[in-house]
Amino acid sequence: MSDSEEEAQDRQLKVVILGDGASGKTSLATRFAQEAFGKQYKQTIGLDFFLKRLTLPGNLNVTLQVWDIGGQTIGGKMLDKYIYGAQGVLLVYDITNYQSFENLEDWYAAVKKVNEESNQHPVVGLVGNKIDLEHMRTVKADKHQRFCHENNISSYFVSAKTGDSVFLCFQRFAADILGIKLNKAEIEQSQQVVKADIVNYSQEPVARTVNPPRSSMCAVQ
Ligand SMILES: Nc1nc2c(ncn2[C@@H]2O[C@H](COP(=O)(O)OP(=O)(O)OP(=O)(O)O)[C@@H](O)[C@H]2O)c(=O)[nH]1
């Protein structure tokens, strides 16, 4: 076989997503792998798998094997086995749920325990999800940044609902694992346009005598 420059390289990476129940792990994986989102909460029992291919600079094809671990597995016997062999671990919390951020200490402790026992060192990232609910945020961004600095891990803010920064998060994370630096153009290309919901106020049961009528027009860029 020739060493043609066009010959693509293939890599497979195991990425494990951990965090409390309802923080949005399944939604994140589904948004990334299937470009879909479901509003209905369906608890993950055990775990789910997703596969997604992406191409990194240098014609590098990467298949991400995403392990979406159910939030109820914390403290269970199987968690160590799920984490074992991961090249990357994403710790996910919900920015509107302070407890989900605090509990990351426990999830991270489980990761460190497996690392010590197996002498492996996966790349770890912190993901603040649900940034579409910024107005309900209870975890300040500087708390998030402090966690990243103290543990020397990478930082992401995403919305699985709107898709905001989701692809970029996985792309940057895969690049991080492989020691590849993305340039500005590559990052910008991965930032999708976020679609906003158009709210039809005319269907809202508002007391017109108290509140002035509101416009149903909305500019979406
Ligand atoms: N507004 C908003 N809701 C979200 C977002 N991501 C997930 N949700 C909602 O949060 C709920 C929980 O999401 P899941 O993805 O099922 O959470 P999970 O972390 O996989 O939960 P477990 O399976 O119990 O571990 C669902 O109702 C989702 O629709 C987001 O970015 N924004």
Side-chain angles (χ1 to χ4, degrees), residues 91-95 126-131 144 155-159:
L91 300 173
V92 178
Y93 72 96
D94 169 354
I95 65 157
L126 177 66
V127 184
N129 185 35
K130 309 199 186 180
I131 56 167
H144 171 114
S155 155
Y156 305 94
F157 284 106
V158 300
S159 166

Side-chain angles (χ1 to χ4, degrees), residues 19-28 37-44 68-72 129-133 158-162:
D20 271 11
S23 57
K25 300 177 297 298
T26 303
S27 304
L28 196 59
F37 176 77
K39 278 190 184 151
Q40 202 76 36
Y41 173 41
K42 196 169 153 275
Q43 192 182 82
T44 303
D68 163 28
I69 312 295
Q72 308 310 315
N129 185 35
K130 309 199 186 180
I131 56 167
D132 56 293
L133 301 177
V158 300
S159 166
K161 182 174 180 180
T162 63

